[in-house]
Amino acid sequence: MTESIVRLRPEILALPAYKQGSSIEGGFKLSSNENPFEPLPGVLEAVAAASETLHRYPNAAAPELTARLAELHGVATDQVILGAGSVSVLVQLVQAAAGAGDEVLYSWRSFEAYPWMPTLTGATSVKVANDEHHRHDLAAMAAAITDRTRVAIVCSPNNPTSTVVTEAEFASFMASVPADLLVILDEAYAEFVTDPDAVVGPPLLATYPNLVVLRTFSKAYGLAGLRIGYGLGPAAILNAARTTAIPLGITDQSQAAALASLDHQPELLARVAHLAKRRDEVWEALVAQGWNVPKPQGNFVWLPTGEATAAAAALYAANGMVVRPFHPEGLRISIAEEESVEKLLEVSAELVATLQKSPRISNMPAPQPIS
Ligand SMILES: Cc1ncc(COP(=O)(O)O)c(C=O)c1O
């Protein structure tokens, strides 16, 4: 790497760059939790129409989409904040709440963007390990709160382990945190959840004045390429986050696509149900093969491959599938095209048989399904 002659922040230079899931020519990309379905009907036409004024700046205040989302979730329009992906809203919230010397608390392993955000603002990450079932340990998170903690992030379903926080667990967490602590409930995969006990953020906003819920159009809605996501929460918190935004970050095309997608809820729900069913079938097949895999609730599964993670990812790649390795913990594999499933299960069967012969390498406990 070439060195800069100007003085740059050492903590920024030390940060690993965000690593995007890679693709494979002629193979399956199972590394970015994308939606395998093409955009919903009407979306491409709406984007084309919005592109006619491409020479103008967008109306980044997005009044129509904001009103639509407020109506959908039963909140006021000033309780909605839009961003270029929900990750933008997350960064804005952390910038608004946590500065130098403050702490940002989250479960780990979780979304790769979390460690990067506090560093940008001069704050410190406090990571609390997931429990042995790859779930948030909310009691340990509550215990890790100090008078420097400014933000606590709860991710449900958790990326990459695909486990959820229950409504009861979330309620007891909220009851145990200081009332002036910003809690962000990141629900990027909410639409895929089928567990009736899982927490659902928007209805809780009326109860907790320190809660912000994040949602996105990137996953279930299949608009990852357009970068549009949003937060719901108290106006005073969102207004502070609005002031940290890079101006005019929300394009007219992304707004038009989101609105067109919202017009097609029945098709959307049918696609989501299809993917959730495929996910459950994959999970059942993996468990039957001997994998000890937590029951997934996002559009992805987590294979705890331990020290064998890098080699396991290479095996999938050699068979035409790019998965997301988090060495030495495990692999995250997205639920994708129907044609990917057979190959995925074939390679997984080969892999689990190898790992069970050497459990020391994989960290894999003796096979026993988690229900
Ligand atoms: C847990 C979680 N939150 C937020 C995001 C950001 O999504 P986007 O910025 O595309 O809305 C992702 C994307 O992978 C994610 O996994």
Side-chain angles (χ1 to χ4, degrees), residues 85-87 111 155 159 186 188-189 216 218-219 227:
S86 58
V87 73
F111 182 33
C155 187
N159 172 6
D186 185 347
Y189 303 95
T216 183
S218 296
K219 308 296 179 181
R227 313 302 302 122

Side-chain angles (χ1 to χ4, degrees), residues 155-158 162-167 186-201 215 220 269 272-273 275-277 279-280 295-300:
C155 187
S156 180
N158 185 46
S162 216
T163 53
V164 284
V165 164
T166 67
E167 193 180 344
D186 185 347
E187 294 191 308
Y189 303 95
E191 294 85 356
F192 297 105
V193 174
T194 49
D195 180 345
D197 294 330
V199 67
V200 180
R215 294 283 180 102
L269 294 176
V272 165
L275 287 171
K277 183 166 170 281
R279 168 199 69 199
D280 292 347
K295 190 160 188 191
Q297 290 291 295
N299 59 341
F300 52 96

